[in-house]
């Protein structure tokens, strides 16, 4: 019995140490969520207004720009998938990857080749393990992205959009990220960034473009503008900023979602550790009680045997 009690005590110490780690990670994630939420709230108005401005230029002029003009027969699409660099965040990364897989299947069903761009070590590991080609990947900033990171990611995507498809270019740009709704709700979504579209009819999250999504949230008609020096010049200046701002906002929302998912996962792990400690403590107490009972029984049995032997000798 003594050996069994030692096993229980060793397991209790191990689970207690794990509980301290998960509790600390839960508190760290909770503290980072507030900062991430503030960054999302600060970046969203700028990204939305820039989207409206670019959409106004695209719809208020007859200028045909490669980043706003639909290809007659699109054949290639770039898909940017945003995941985490670290684990212990529940299904955060796997849900984003699944959303990217669904988007890729839909695009292939439409007859388009999919060029994959990924952010986060989880996505890199997923594609590498399955030996799937990735055009470019970025890691190291998933939980605390900066605007410079968004610029680094946007540059090759814009370059691919400006190239002809025969030279390795793409006709469309899609992004898959996790939208932060609340501390308890984070939804993986797929959006088309370019070419810009303005669709007044509501549709699914995967089918809608960013411009249509912003316009529905605003609930307003686009104002009329005059462009100087030209609409094309304005588009050349605004579109890189548009792509960077939308990617930056997606990175911030994904970071907030990652922290919220990690906090929830670590809280669940801490609660499970507490339950396991209680269960092991009860088992250890039961084993100790059984050991004590057995010792008492042995003592009583020995005393009875000695009494019987003494009585027999008399």
């Amino acid at each position: 019995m003594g050996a069994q009690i030692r096993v229980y005590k060793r397991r209790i110490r191990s689970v207690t140490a794990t509980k301290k780690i998960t509790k600390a990670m839960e508190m760290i994630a909770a503290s980072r969520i507030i900062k991430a939420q503030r960054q999302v709230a600060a970046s969203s108005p700028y990204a939305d207004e820039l989207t409206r401005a670019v959409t106004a230029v695209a719809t208020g002029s007859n200028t045909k720009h490669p980043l706003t003009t639909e290809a007659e027969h699109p054949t290639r699409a770039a898909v940017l998938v945003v995941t985490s660099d670290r684990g212990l965040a529940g299904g955060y990364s796997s849900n984003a990857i699944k959303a990217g897989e669904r988007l890729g299947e839909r695009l292939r069903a439409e007859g388009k080749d999919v060029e994959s761009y990924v952010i986060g070590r989880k996505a890199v590991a997923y594609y590498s393990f399955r030996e799937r080609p990735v055009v470019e990947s970025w890691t190291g900033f998933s939980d605390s992205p900066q605007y410079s990171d968004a610029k680094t990611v946007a540059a090759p995507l814009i370059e691919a959009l400006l190239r002809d498809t025969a030279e390795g270019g793409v006709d469309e740009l899609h992004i898959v990220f996790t939208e932060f709704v609340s501390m308890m709700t984070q939804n993986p979504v797929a959006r088309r960034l370019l070419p810009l579209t303005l669709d007044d009819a509501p549709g699914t999250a995967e089918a809608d473009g960013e411009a249509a999504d912003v316009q529905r949230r605003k609930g307003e008609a686009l104002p009329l503008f005059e462009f100087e020096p030209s609409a094309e010049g304005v588009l050349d200046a605004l579109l890189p900023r548009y792509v960077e701002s939308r990617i930056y906002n997606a990175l911030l929302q994904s970071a907030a979602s990652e922290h919220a998912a990690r906090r929830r996962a670590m809280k669940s792990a801490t609660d499970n550790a507490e339950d396991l400690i209680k269960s092991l403590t009860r088992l250890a107490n039961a084993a100790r009680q059984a050991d004590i009972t057995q010792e008492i029984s042995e003592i009583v049995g020995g005393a009875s045997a000695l009494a019987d032997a003494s009585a027999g000798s008399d």
Side-chain angles (χ1 to χ4, degrees):
M1 281 295 183
Q4 188 175 9
I5 293 174
R6 286 194 295 272
V7 170
Y8 286 136
K9 288 184 176 180
R10 186 163 56 248
R11 291 188 62 188
I12 289 172
R13 287 196 297 270
S14 176
V15 175
T16 301
T18 302
K19 175 190 168 184
K20 291 179 180 178
I21 296 172
T22 57
K23 185 64 177 179
M25 293 183 68
E26 176 190 348
M27 295 176 67
I28 292 171
S31 67
R32 290 179 176 176
I33 292 173
I34 305 302
K35 180 181 178 181
Q37 282 182 290
R38 290 174 181 169
Q39 289 180 317
V40 171
S43 71
S44 293
Y46 172 78
D48 289 349
E49 290 303 322
L50 187 56
T51 300
R52 295 184 73 246
V54 174
T55 305
V57 180
T59 58
S61 68
N62 295 324
T63 301
K64 289 188 176 181
H65 194 278
L67 301 183
T68 60
T69 304
E70 291 272 359
E72 292 185 6
H73 302 288
T75 58
R76 295 166 69 89
V79 176
L80 174 64
V81 180
V82 183
T83 63
S84 170
D85 285 319
R86 297 186 295 134
L88 301 177
Y92 164 75
S93 292
S94 61
N95 290 337
I97 291 173
K98 289 176 183 176
E101 291 289 281
R102 290 194 297 270
L103 174 62
E105 291 174 2
R106 180 169 64 83
L107 293 173
R108 293 185 187 93
E110 295 173 359
K112 301 170 186 173
D113 294 329
V114 177
E115 299 290 330
S116 297
Y117 296 76
V118 297
I119 295 176
R121 291 188 176 91
K122 291 299 178 180
V124 172
Y126 177 87
Y127 283 84
S128 175
F129 179 76
R130 288 159 181 78
E131 298 183 350
R132 296 185 183 178
V134 173
V135 180
E136 287 203 41
S137 62
W138 300 269
T139 60
F141 54 81
S142 69
D143 61 346
S144 183
Q146 304 297 321
Y147 193 82
S148 58
D149 299 320
K151 292 183 68 174
T152 301
V153 174
L157 294 171
I158 295 173
E159 183 183 351
L161 281 160
L162 292 175
R163 285 201 309 267
D164 189 84
T165 52
E167 300 175 355
V170 297
D171 299 310
E172 298 176 358
L173 170 59
H174 300 258
I175 183 169
V176 179
F177 65 99
T178 306
E179 184 179 36
F180 182 84
V181 180
S182 67
M183 295 286 284
M184 298 302 298
T185 306
Q186 302 87 41
N187 298 324
V189 295
R191 301 270 171 79
R192 192 178 86 165
L193 295 186
L194 293 172
L196 283 172
T197 56
L198 184 60
D199 184 6
D200 294 330
T204 64
E206 288 189 350
D208 291 341
E210 279 291 343
D213 182 67
V214 170
Q215 196 63 19
R216 284 196 296 273
R217 291 203 301 269
K218 292 290 182 180
E220 304 170 356
L222 286 171
L224 298 176
F225 294 100
E226 292 184 2
F227 309 107
E228 293 291 344
S230 66
E232 186 175 0
V234 173
L235 284 174
D236 288 338
L238 284 182
L239 276 166
R241 301 288 183 272
Y242 160 77
V243 176
E244 292 166 6
S245 68
R246 295 305 337 172
I247 291 177
Y248 182 52
N249 184 259
L251 290 176
L252 290 177
Q253 294 214 45
S254 295
S257 299
E258 178 185 344
H259 294 315
R262 181 167 290 114
R263 174 188 172 276
R264 191 167 60 249
M266 291 300 97
K267 185 180 186 309
S268 177
T270 302
D271 293 343
N272 290 339
E274 290 178 351
D275 293 340
L276 185 55
I277 290 171
K278 291 178 181 178
S279 176
L280 290 172
T281 301
R282 284 194 295 267
L283 291 173
N285 290 339
R288 184 167 59 251
Q289 186 64 44
D291 198 8
I292 294 171
T293 302
Q294 183 177 349
E295 289 180 1
I296 293 173
S297 298
E298 290 174 354
I299 292 171
V300 172
S304 298
L306 289 174
D308 291 344
S310 177
S313 62
D314 291 341

